[in-house]
Coordinates of all heavy atoms in Angstrom, one line a residue:
M168 N -176.4 21.5 -299.7 CA -176.3 22.5 -298.7 C -174.8 23.0 -298.5 O -174.0 22.1 -298.3 CB -176.9 22.0 -297.4 CG -176.8 23.0 -296.3 SD -177.6 22.3 -294.8 CE -176.9 23.3 -293.6
N169 N -174.6 24.2 -298.6 CA -173.2 24.8 -298.5 C -172.9 24.9 -297.0 O -173.4 25.8 -296.3 CB -173.1 26.1 -299.2 CG -171.8 26.7 -299.1 OD1 -170.9 26.1 -298.5 ND2 -171.6 27.8 -299.8
T170 N -172.0 24.0 -296.5 CA -171.7 24.0 -295.1 C -170.7 25.1 -294.8 O -170.4 25.4 -293.6 CB -171.1 22.6 -294.7 OG1 -170.0 22.3 -295.5 CG2 -172.2 21.5 -294.8
A171 N -170.1 25.7 -295.8 CA -169.1 26.8 -295.5 C -169.8 27.9 -294.8 O -169.1 28.7 -294.1 CB -168.4 27.2 -296.8
A172 N -171.1 28.1 -295.1 CA -171.8 29.2 -294.5 C -172.1 29.0 -293.0 O -172.4 29.9 -292.2 CB -173.1 29.4 -295.2
L173 N -172.0 27.7 -292.6 CA -172.3 27.4 -291.2 C -171.0 27.5 -290.4 O -169.9 27.2 -290.8 CB -172.8 25.9 -291.0 CG -174.1 25.6 -291.8 CD1 -174.3 24.1 -291.7 CD2 -175.2 26.4 -291.2
P174 N -171.1 28.0 -289.1 CA -169.9 28.1 -288.3 C -169.3 26.7 -288.0 O -170.1 25.8 -287.7 CB -170.4 28.9 -287.1 CG -171.8 28.7 -287.0 CD -172.3 28.4 -288.4
P175 N -168.0 26.6 -288.0 CA -167.4 25.3 -287.6 C -167.7 25.0 -286.1 O -167.7 25.9 -285.3 CB -165.9 25.5 -287.9 CG -165.7 27.0 -287.8 CD -167.0 27.6 -288.3
K176 N -167.9 23.7 -285.8 CA -168.2 23.3 -284.5 C -167.0 22.7 -283.8 O -167.0 22.7 -282.5 CB -169.3 22.3 -284.5 CG -170.7 22.8 -284.9 CD -171.8 21.8 -284.9 CE -173.0 22.4 -285.3 NZ -173.8 21.7 -286.3
T177 N -166.0 22.3 -284.5 CA -164.8 21.7 -283.9 C -163.6 22.3 -284.6 O -163.6 22.8 -285.6 CB -164.8 20.2 -284.1 OG1 -164.7 19.9 -285.5 CG2 -166.1 19.5 -283.6
E178 N -162.4 22.1 -283.9 CA -161.1 22.5 -284.5 C -160.9 21.7 -285.8 O -160.3 22.3 -286.7 CB -160.0 22.2 -283.5 CG -160.0 23.1 -282.3 CD -158.9 22.8 -281.3 OE1 -157.8 22.4 -281.7 OE2 -159.2 22.9 -280.1
A179 N -161.3 20.4 -285.8 CA -161.1 19.6 -287.0 C -161.9 20.2 -288.2 O -161.3 20.3 -289.3 CB -161.5 18.2 -286.8
E180 N -163.1 20.8 -287.9 CA -163.8 21.4 -289.0 C -163.1 22.6 -289.5 O -163.1 22.9 -290.7 CB -165.2 21.7 -288.5 CG -166.1 20.5 -288.4 CD -167.5 20.8 -287.9 OE1 -167.9 22.0 -287.8 OE2 -168.3 19.9 -287.6
V181 N -162.5 23.4 -288.6 CA -161.8 24.6 -289.0 C -160.6 24.1 -289.9 O -160.4 24.7 -291.0 CB -161.2 25.4 -287.8 CG1 -160.3 26.5 -288.3 CG2 -162.4 25.9 -287.0
W182 N -159.9 23.1 -289.5 CA -158.7 22.6 -290.3 C -159.2 22.1 -291.7 O -158.5 22.3 -292.7 CB -158.0 21.5 -289.6 CG -157.0 22.1 -288.6 CD1 -157.0 22.1 -287.3 CD2 -155.8 22.8 -289.0 NE1 -155.9 22.8 -286.8 CE2 -155.1 23.2 -287.8 CE3 -155.2 23.1 -290.2 CZ2 -153.9 23.9 -287.8 CZ3 -154.0 23.8 -290.2 CH2 -153.4 24.2 -289.0
M183 N -160.3 21.4 -291.7 CA -160.9 20.9 -293.0 C -161.1 22.1 -293.9 O -160.9 22.0 -295.1 CB -162.1 20.1 -292.8 CG -161.9 18.8 -292.0 SD -160.6 17.8 -292.7 CE -161.5 17.0 -294.0
R184 N -161.6 23.2 -293.4 CA -161.9 24.4 -294.3 C -160.6 25.0 -294.8 O -160.5 25.5 -295.9 CB -162.6 25.4 -293.5 CG -164.1 25.1 -293.2 CD -164.7 26.1 -292.4 NE -166.0 25.7 -292.0 CZ -167.1 26.5 -291.9 NH1 -166.9 27.8 -292.1 NH2 -168.2 26.1 -291.5
I185 N -159.5 24.9 -294.0 CA -158.2 25.4 -294.4 C -157.6 24.5 -295.5 O -157.1 25.0 -296.5 CB -157.3 25.5 -293.2 CG1 -157.8 26.7 -292.3 CG2 -155.8 25.8 -293.7 CD1 -157.1 26.7 -290.9
L186 N -157.7 23.2 -295.3 CA -157.1 22.3 -296.2 C -157.8 22.1 -297.5 O -157.2 21.7 -298.5 CB -156.9 20.9 -295.4 CG -156.0 20.9 -294.3 CD1 -156.1 19.7 -293.4 CD2 -154.6 21.2 -294.7
H187 N -159.1 22.2 -297.5 CA -159.8 22.1 -298.7 C -161.0 23.1 -298.7 O -162.2 22.7 -298.4 CB -160.2 20.7 -299.0 CG -161.1 20.0 -298.0 ND1 -162.5 20.0 -298.1 CD2 -160.8 19.4 -296.9 CE1 -163.0 19.4 -297.1 NE2 -162.0 19.0 -296.3
P188 N -160.8 24.4 -298.9 CA -161.8 25.4 -298.8 C -163.0 25.2 -299.7 O -164.0 25.7 -299.5 CB -161.1 26.7 -299.0 CG -159.8 26.3 -299.8 CD -159.5 24.9 -299.3
D189 N -162.8 24.5 -300.8 CA -163.9 24.2 -301.8 C -164.8 23.1 -301.3 O -165.7 22.7 -302.0 CB -163.3 24.0 -303.2 CG -162.4 22.7 -303.2 OD1 -162.2 22.1 -302.1 OD2 -162.0 22.4 -304.3
E190 N -164.6 22.6 -300.1 CA -165.4 21.6 -299.5 C -165.1 20.2 -300.0 O -165.7 19.2 -299.6 CB -166.9 21.9 -299.5 CG -167.3 23.1 -298.8 CD -168.8 23.3 -298.8 OE1 -169.5 22.3 -298.6 OE2 -169.2 24.5 -299.0
E191 N -164.2 20.0 -301.0 CA -163.9 18.7 -301.6 C -162.4 18.5 -301.5 O -161.7 19.2 -302.2 CB -164.4 18.7 -303.0 CG -164.5 17.3 -303.6 CD -165.5 16.4 -302.9 OE1 -166.6 16.9 -302.5 OE2 -165.2 15.3 -302.7
M192 N -162.0 17.6 -300.6 CA -160.6 17.3 -300.5 C -160.1 16.5 -301.7 O -160.7 15.5 -302.1 CB -160.3 16.5 -299.2 CG -158.9 16.3 -298.9 SD -158.6 15.1 -297.5 CE -159.3 16.0 -296.2
S193 N -159.0 17.0 -302.3 CA -158.5 16.3 -303.4 C -157.6 15.1 -302.9 O -157.1 15.1 -301.8 CB -157.6 17.3 -304.2 OG -156.4 17.6 -303.5
P194 N -157.4 14.1 -303.8 CA -156.6 13.0 -303.5 C -155.1 13.5 -303.1 O -154.5 12.9 -302.2 CB -156.6 12.1 -304.7 CG -157.9 12.4 -305.3 CD -158.2 13.9 -305.1
R195 N -154.7 14.5 -303.8 CA -153.3 15.0 -303.5 C -153.2 15.6 -302.1 O -152.3 15.2 -301.3 CB -153.0 16.2 -304.5 CG -151.6 16.7 -304.3 CD -151.3 17.8 -305.4 NE -152.1 19.0 -305.2 CZ -151.9 20.0 -304.4 NH1 -150.8 19.9 -303.6 NH2 -152.7 21.0 -304.3
V196 N -154.2 16.3 -301.6 CA -154.3 16.8 -300.3 C -154.4 15.6 -299.3 O -153.8 15.6 -298.2 CB -155.4 17.8 -300.1 CG1 -155.6 18.2 -298.6 CG2 -155.1 19.1 -300.9
A197 N -155.3 14.7 -299.6 CA -155.5 13.5 -298.8 C -154.1 12.8 -298.6 O -153.8 12.4 -297.4 CB -156.5 12.6 -299.4
R198 N -153.4 12.5 -299.6 CA -152.1 11.9 -299.5 C -151.1 12.7 -298.6 O -150.4 12.1 -297.8 CB -151.5 11.6 -300.9 CG -152.2 10.4 -301.6 CD -151.4 10.0 -302.8 NE -151.5 11.0 -303.9 CZ -152.6 11.1 -304.7 NH1 -153.6 10.3 -304.6 NH2 -152.6 12.1 -305.6
A199 N -151.1 14.0 -298.8 CA -150.3 14.8 -298.0 C -150.7 14.8 -296.5 O -149.8 14.7 -295.6 CB -150.4 16.3 -298.4
I200 N -151.9 14.7 -296.2 CA -152.4 14.6 -294.8 C -151.9 13.3 -294.2 O -151.5 13.2 -293.1 CB -153.9 14.8 -294.7 CG1 -154.3 16.2 -295.0 CG2 -154.4 14.3 -293.3 CD1 -155.8 16.5 -295.1
L201 N -152.1 12.2 -295.0 CA -151.7 10.9 -294.5 C -150.2 10.8 -294.2 O -149.7 10.0 -293.4 CB -152.1 9.8 -295.5 CG -153.6 9.6 -295.5 CD1 -153.9 8.5 -296.6 CD2 -154.1 9.1 -294.2
G202 N -149.4 11.7 -294.8 CA -147.9 11.8 -294.6 C -147.5 12.5 -293.3 O -146.4 12.5 -292.9
L203 N -148.5 13.2 -292.7 CA -148.2 14.0 -291.5 C -148.0 13.1 -290.3 O -148.8 12.1 -290.1 CB -149.3 15.0 -291.2 CG -149.6 16.1 -292.3 CD1 -150.8 16.9 -291.9 CD2 -148.4 17.0 -292.5
A204 N -147.1 13.4 -289.5 CA -146.8 12.7 -288.3 C -146.0 13.5 -287.3 O -145.4 14.5 -287.7 CB -146.0 11.4 -288.6
F205 N -146.1 13.2 -286.0 CA -145.4 13.9 -285.0 C -143.9 13.5 -285.2 O -143.5 12.4 -285.5 CB -145.7 13.4 -283.6 CG -147.1 13.9 -283.1 CD1 -148.2 13.1 -283.1 CD2 -147.1 15.2 -282.6 CE1 -149.4 13.6 -282.7 CE2 -148.3 15.7 -282.1 CZ -149.5 14.9 -282.1
P206 N -143.0 14.5 -285.0 CA -141.6 14.2 -285.1 C -141.1 13.3 -284.0 O -141.8 13.2 -282.9 CB -140.9 15.6 -284.9 CG -142.0 16.6 -285.2 CD -143.3 16.0 -284.9
K207 N -140.0 12.6 -284.2 CA -139.6 11.6 -283.2 C -139.3 12.2 -281.8 O -139.7 11.6 -280.8 CB -138.3 10.9 -283.7 CG -138.6 9.9 -284.7 CD -137.3 9.2 -285.2 CE -137.6 8.3 -286.3 NZ -136.4 7.5 -286.7
N208 N -138.8 13.4 -281.8 CA -138.6 14.1 -280.5 C -139.9 14.3 -279.7 O -139.9 14.2 -278.5 CB -137.9 15.5 -280.7 CG -136.4 15.3 -281.1 OD1 -135.9 14.2 -281.0 ND2 -135.9 16.4 -281.6
D209 N -140.9 14.7 -280.5 CA -142.2 14.9 -279.8 C -142.8 13.6 -279.3 O -143.4 13.5 -278.3 CB -143.2 15.6 -280.8 CG -142.9 17.1 -281.0 OD1 -142.2 17.6 -280.2 OD2 -143.5 17.6 -281.9
L210 N -142.6 12.5 -280.1 CA -143.1 11.2 -279.7 C -142.4 10.8 -278.4 O -143.1 10.3 -277.4 CB -142.9 10.2 -280.7 CG -143.7 10.3 -282.0 CD1 -143.3 9.3 -283.0 CD2 -145.2 10.1 -281.7
G211 N -141.1 11.1 -278.3 CA -140.4 10.8 -277.1 C -140.9 11.6 -275.9 O -141.1 11.1 -274.8
Q212 N -141.2 12.9 -276.1 CA -141.7 13.7 -275.1 C -143.1 13.3 -274.6 O -143.4 13.2 -273.5 CB -141.8 15.2 -275.6 CG -142.3 16.2 -274.6 CD -141.5 16.4 -273.4 OE1 -140.4 15.8 -273.2 NE2 -142.0 17.2 -272.5
M213 N -143.9 12.8 -275.6 CA -145.3 12.3 -275.3 C -145.2 11.1 -274.4 O -145.9 11.0 -273.4 CB -146.1 12.0 -276.5 CG -146.6 13.3 -277.2 SD -147.7 12.9 -278.6 CE -146.5 12.9 -279.9
H214 N -144.2 10.2 -274.7 CA -144.0 9.0 -273.9 C -143.6 9.3 -272.5 O -144.1 8.8 -271.5 CB -143.1 8.0 -274.5 CG -143.6 7.4 -275.8 ND1 -144.6 6.5 -275.8 CD2 -143.2 7.5 -277.1 CE1 -144.9 6.1 -277.0 NE2 -144.1 6.7 -277.8
E215 N -142.7 10.3 -272.4 CA -142.2 10.7 -271.0 C -143.3 11.4 -270.2 O -143.5 11.1 -269.0 CB -141.1 11.8 -271.2 CG -139.8 11.1 -271.6 CD -138.7 12.2 -271.7 OE1 -138.7 13.2 -271.0 OE2 -137.8 12.0 -272.6
L216 N -144.1 12.2 -270.9 CA -145.2 12.9 -270.2 C -146.3 11.8 -269.8 O -146.8 11.9 -268.7 CB -145.9 13.9 -271.1 CG -145.0 15.2 -271.3 CD1 -145.7 16.0 -272.4 CD2 -144.8 16.0 -270.1
S217 N -146.5 10.9 -270.6 CA -147.5 9.8 -270.3 C -147.0 9.0 -269.1 O -147.8 8.7 -268.2 CB -147.7 8.9 -271.5 OG -148.6 7.9 -271.3
A218 N -145.8 8.7 -269.0 CA -145.2 7.9 -267.9 C -145.4 8.8 -266.6 O -145.8 8.2 -265.6 CB -143.8 7.6 -268.1
K219 N -145.0 10.1 -266.7 CA -145.2 10.9 -265.5 C -146.6 11.0 -265.1 O -147.0 11.1 -263.9 CB -144.6 12.3 -265.8 CG -143.1 12.3 -265.8 CD -142.5 13.7 -266.0 CE -142.4 14.4 -264.7 NZ -141.7 15.7 -264.9
A220 N -147.5 11.1 -266.1 CA -149.0 11.2 -265.7 C -149.4 9.9 -265.0 O -150.2 10.0 -264.1 CB -149.8 11.4 -267.0
R221 N -149.0 8.8 -265.5 CA -149.4 7.5 -264.9 C -148.9 7.4 -263.4 O -149.5 6.9 -262.6 CB -148.9 6.3 -265.7 CG -149.7 6.0 -266.9 CD -149.3 4.7 -267.5 NE -147.9 4.6 -267.9 CZ -147.4 5.0 -269.0 NH1 -148.1 5.6 -269.9 NH2 -146.1 4.8 -269.2
S222 N -147.7 8.1 -263.2 CA -147.2 8.0 -261.8 C -147.7 9.2 -261.0 O -147.3 9.3 -259.8 CB -145.7 8.0 -261.8 OG -145.2 9.2 -262.3
G223 N -148.5 10.1 -261.6 CA -149.1 11.2 -260.8 C -148.1 12.3 -260.6 O -148.2 13.1 -259.6
K224 N -147.0 12.4 -261.4 CA -146.0 13.4 -261.2 C -145.9 14.5 -262.2 O -144.9 15.2 -262.3 CB -144.6 12.7 -261.1 CG -144.6 11.7 -260.0 CD -143.2 11.0 -259.9 CE -143.2 10.0 -258.8 NZ -142.0 9.2 -258.8
L225 N -147.0 14.8 -263.0 CA -147.0 15.9 -263.9 C -147.1 17.2 -263.3 O -147.9 17.4 -262.4 CB -148.2 15.7 -264.9 CG -148.1 14.8 -266.1 CD1 -149.3 14.9 -267.0 CD2 -146.9 15.2 -267.0
T226 N -146.3 18.2 -263.7 CA -146.5 19.5 -263.3 C -147.7 20.1 -264.0 O -148.1 19.6 -265.1 CB -145.2 20.4 -263.5 OG1 -145.1 20.5 -264.9 CG2 -144.0 19.8 -262.9
A227 N -148.1 21.3 -263.6 CA -149.2 22.0 -264.3 C -148.8 22.3 -265.8 O -149.6 22.1 -266.7 CB -149.6 23.2 -263.6
E228 N -147.6 22.7 -265.9 CA -147.0 23.0 -267.3 C -147.0 21.8 -268.2 O -147.4 21.8 -269.3 CB -145.6 23.6 -267.2 CG -145.1 24.1 -268.5 CD -143.7 24.7 -268.3 OE1 -143.6 25.8 -267.7 OE2 -142.7 24.1 -268.8
E229 N -146.5 20.7 -267.6 CA -146.5 19.4 -268.4 C -147.9 18.9 -268.7 O -148.1 18.3 -269.8 CB -145.7 18.3 -267.6 CG -144.2 18.6 -267.4 CD -143.5 17.8 -266.4 OE1 -144.2 17.3 -265.4 OE2 -142.3 17.5 -266.7
D230 N -148.8 19.1 -267.8 CA -150.2 18.7 -268.0 C -150.8 19.5 -269.2 O -151.4 18.9 -270.1 CB -151.0 18.9 -266.8 CG -152.4 18.3 -266.9 OD1 -152.6 17.2 -267.3 OD2 -153.4 19.0 -266.5
A231 N -150.5 20.8 -269.3 CA -150.9 21.6 -270.4 C -150.3 21.2 -271.7 O -150.9 21.1 -272.7 CB -150.6 23.1 -270.1
E232 N -149.0 20.8 -271.6 CA -148.3 20.3 -272.8 C -148.9 19.0 -273.3 O -149.1 18.8 -274.5 CB -146.8 20.1 -272.5 CG -146.0 19.7 -273.6 CD -144.5 19.5 -273.3 OE1 -144.1 19.6 -272.1 OE2 -143.7 19.2 -274.2
M233 N -149.2 18.1 -272.4 CA -149.9 16.9 -272.7 C -151.2 17.1 -273.3 O -151.6 16.4 -274.3 CB -150.0 16.0 -271.4 CG -150.4 14.6 -271.7 SD -149.1 13.7 -272.5 CE -149.8 12.1 -272.5
D234 N -152.0 18.0 -272.8 CA -153.3 18.4 -273.4 C -153.1 18.9 -274.8 O -153.9 18.5 -275.7 CB -154.0 19.5 -272.6 CG -154.6 19.0 -271.3 OD1 -154.7 17.7 -271.1 OD2 -154.9 19.8 -270.4
N235 N -152.1 19.7 -275.1 CA -151.9 20.1 -276.5 C -151.5 19.0 -277.4 O -152.1 18.9 -278.5 CB -150.7 21.2 -276.5 CG -151.1 22.5 -275.9 OD1 -152.3 22.9 -275.9 ND2 -150.1 23.2 -275.3
F236 N -150.7 18.1 -277.0 CA -150.4 16.9 -277.8 C -151.6 16.1 -278.1 O -151.8 15.6 -279.2 CB -149.3 16.0 -277.1 CG -147.9 16.5 -277.3 CD1 -147.1 16.6 -276.2 CD2 -147.4 16.8 -278.5 CE1 -145.8 17.1 -276.3 CE2 -146.0 17.2 -278.7 CZ -145.2 17.3 -277.6
E237 N -152.4 15.9 -277.0 CA -153.7 15.1 -277.2 C -154.6 15.7 -278.2 O -155.2 15.1 -279.0 CB -154.3 14.9 -275.8 CG -153.6 13.9 -274.9 CD -154.1 13.8 -273.5 OE1 -155.0 14.6 -273.2 OE2 -153.6 13.0 -272.8
R238 N -154.8 17.1 -278.1 CA -155.7 17.8 -278.9 C -155.2 17.7 -280.4 O -156.0 17.4 -281.3 CB -155.8 19.2 -278.5 CG -157.2 19.7 -278.4 CD -157.4 21.1 -277.9 NE -156.3 21.9 -277.6 CZ -155.8 22.0 -276.4 NH1 -156.3 21.4 -275.4 NH2 -154.8 22.8 -276.1
V239 N -153.9 17.9 -280.6 CA -153.4 17.9 -282.0 C -153.5 16.4 -282.5 O -153.9 16.2 -283.7 CB -151.9 18.4 -282.0 CG1 -151.3 18.1 -283.3 CG2 -151.9 19.9 -281.7
G240 N -153.2 15.5 -281.7 CA -153.3 14.1 -282.1 C -154.7 13.7 -282.5 O -154.9 13.0 -283.5
S241 N -155.7 14.2 -281.8 CA -157.1 13.9 -282.1 C -157.5 14.5 -283.4 O -158.1 13.9 -284.2 CB -158.0 14.4 -280.9 OG -159.3 14.2 -281.2
I242 N -157.1 15.7 -283.6 CA -157.4 16.4 -284.8 C -156.7 15.7 -286.0 O -157.3 15.5 -287.1 CB -157.0 17.9 -284.8 CG1 -157.9 18.6 -283.8 CG2 -157.1 18.6 -286.2 CD1 -157.5 20.0 -283.4
L243 N -155.4 15.4 -285.8 CA -154.7 14.7 -286.9 C -155.3 13.4 -287.2 O -155.5 13.0 -288.4 CB -153.2 14.5 -286.5 CG -152.3 13.8 -287.5 CD1 -152.3 14.7 -288.8 CD2 -150.9 13.7 -286.9
S244 N -155.8 12.6 -286.2 CA -156.5 11.4 -286.5 C -157.8 11.6 -287.3 O -158.1 10.8 -288.2 CB -156.8 10.7 -285.1 OG -157.5 9.5 -285.3
T245 N -158.5 12.6 -286.9 CA -159.8 12.9 -287.7 C -159.4 13.3 -289.1 O -160.1 12.8 -290.1 CB -160.5 14.1 -287.0 OG1 -160.9 13.7 -285.7 CG2 -161.8 14.4 -287.8
L246 N -158.4 14.1 -289.3 CA -158.1 14.5 -290.7 C -157.6 13.3 -291.5 O -157.9 13.2 -292.7 CB -157.0 15.6 -290.6 CG -157.4 16.9 -290.1 CD1 -156.2 17.8 -289.9 CD2 -158.5 17.6 -290.9
K247 N -156.8 12.4 -290.9 CA -156.3 11.2 -291.6 C -157.5 10.3 -291.9 O -157.5 9.7 -293.0 CB -155.3 10.5 -290.8 CG -153.9 11.2 -290.8 CD -152.9 10.4 -290.1 CE -151.5 11.0 -290.2 NZ -150.4 10.1 -289.8
S248 N -158.5 10.2 -291.1 CA -159.6 9.4 -291.4 C -160.4 9.9 -292.6 O -160.7 9.1 -293.5 CB -160.6 9.3 -290.1 OG -161.7 8.6 -290.4
K249 N -160.6 11.2 -292.6 CA -161.3 11.8 -293.8 C -160.4 11.6 -295.0 O -161.0 11.4 -296.1 CB -161.5 13.3 -293.5 CG -162.6 13.5 -292.4 CD -162.9 14.9 -292.2 CE -163.9 15.1 -291.0 NZ -165.2 14.6 -291.3
A250 N -159.1 11.8 -294.9 CA -158.2 11.6 -296.1 C -158.3 10.2 -296.6 O -158.4 10.0 -297.8 CB -156.8 11.9 -295.7
R251 N -158.4 9.2 -295.7 CA -158.5 7.8 -296.2 C -159.8 7.6 -296.9 O -159.9 6.8 -297.9 CB -158.3 6.8 -295.0 CG -156.9 6.6 -294.5 CD -156.8 5.5 -293.5 NE -157.4 5.8 -292.2 CZ -156.8 6.5 -291.2 NH1 -155.5 7.0 -291.4 NH2 -157.4 6.8 -290.1
Q252 N -160.9 8.2 -296.4 CA -162.2 8.1 -297.1 C -162.1 8.7 -298.5 O -162.7 8.1 -299.4 CB -163.2 8.8 -296.2 CG -163.6 8.1 -294.9 CD -164.5 9.0 -294.0 OE1 -164.9 10.0 -294.4 NE2 -164.7 8.5 -292.9
V253 N -161.5 9.8 -298.6 CA -161.3 10.5 -299.9 C -160.6 9.5 -300.9 O -161.0 9.3 -302.0 CB -160.6 11.8 -299.8 CG1 -160.1 12.3 -301.2 CG2 -161.5 12.8 -299.1
L254 N -159.5 9.0 -300.4 CA -158.7 8.1 -301.3 C -159.4 6.8 -301.6 O -159.3 6.3 -302.7 CB -157.3 7.8 -300.6 CG -156.4 9.0 -300.5 CD1 -155.1 8.6 -299.8 CD2 -156.1 9.6 -301.9
K255 N -160.2 6.3 -300.7 CA -161.0 5.1 -301.0 C -162.0 5.4 -302.0 O -162.2 4.6 -303.0 CB -161.7 4.6 -299.7 CG -162.3 3.3 -299.8 CD -162.9 2.9 -298.4 CE -163.5 1.5 -298.5 NZ -164.0 1.1 -297.2
R256 N -162.7 6.5 -301.9 CA -163.7 6.9 -303.0 C -163.0 7.1 -304.3 O -163.5 6.7 -305.3 CB -164.4 8.2 -302.5 CG -165.5 7.9 -301.5 CD -166.4 9.2 -301.4 NE -165.7 10.4 -301.1 CZ -165.5 10.9 -299.9 NH1 -165.8 10.2 -298.8 NH2 -164.8 12.0 -299.7
S257 N -161.8 7.8 -304.2 CA -161.1 8.1 -305.5 C -160.7 6.8 -306.2 O -160.7 6.7 -307.4 CB -159.9 8.9 -305.1 OG -159.1 9.1 -306.2
S258 N -160.2 5.8 -305.4 CA -159.8 4.5 -306.0 C -161.0 3.8 -306.6 O -160.8 3.0 -307.6 CB -159.0 3.7 -305.0 OG -159.9 3.2 -304.0
R259 N -162.1 3.9 -306.1 CA -163.3 3.2 -306.6 C -163.8 3.8 -307.9 O -164.3 3.2 -308.7 CB -164.5 3.2 -305.6 CG -164.3 2.2 -304.5 CD -165.6 2.1 -303.7 NE -165.2 2.7 -302.4 CZ -166.1 3.0 -301.5 NH1 -167.4 2.8 -301.7 NH2 -165.7 3.6 -300.4
S260 N -163.6 5.2 -308.0 CA -164.1 5.8 -309.2 C -163.1 5.8 -310.3 O -163.4 6.3 -311.4 CB -164.5 7.3 -308.8 OG -163.3 8.0 -308.5
S261 N -161.9 5.3 -310.1 CA -160.9 5.3 -311.1 C -161.0 4.1 -312.0 O -161.4 3.1 -311.7 CB -159.5 5.3 -310.5 OG -159.2 6.3 -309.6

């Protein structure tokens, strides 16, 4: 069944279509995805926002920023999981 004809249900599905529009992620793309990470400055900002959230001192703007980091982190985690699956299958078939 061609899933490209179905509308994507999640942001991760939209990203998967962008990263491998032929529906089959290549090992090269999988390795590139596994190399993606938040820059150190963003990690520091996330830690600061997390500490402020725990103390109940986030502003509305900071809360929105934290939501953005969380959404991107969730999508990145999903993409990396799929990439690991592709590489695992690739190593078994080699």
Side-chain angles (χ1 to χ4, degrees):
M168 177 176 161
N169 183 354
T170 57
L173 300 174
K176 294 182 180 133
T177 65
E178 289 178 36
E180 286 178 9
V181 173
W182 276 109
M183 294 305 283
R184 288 179 188 215
I185 291 169
L186 294 168
H187 60 94
D189 60 357
E190 296 184 44
E191 196 60 43
M192 184 187 298
S193 71
R195 183 178 65 83
V196 170
R198 284 188 290 277
I200 289 171
L201 290 175
L203 297 175
F205 285 101
K207 287 182 182 182
N208 289 345
D209 285 344
L210 290 173
Q212 178 66 2
M213 284 186 265
H214 289 294
E215 287 180 32
L216 291 170
S217 181
K219 285 182 88 172
R221 283 191 303 275
S222 67
K224 297 179 181 175
L225 275 183
T226 65
E228 184 178 293
E229 290 169 329
D230 189 45
E232 183 180 3
M233 189 70 171
D234 285 345
N235 288 332
F236 280 128
E237 289 171 352
R238 229 179 359 268
V239 170
S241 177
I242 292 168
L243 184 58
S244 178
T245 299
L246 293 174
K247 285 186 173 191
S248 175
K249 291 181 184 295
R251 284 189 291 275
Q252 291 170 3
V253 166
L254 293 176
K255 188 173 182 179
R256 283 192 306 269
S257 175
S258 69
R259 280 189 255 171
S260 65
S261 305

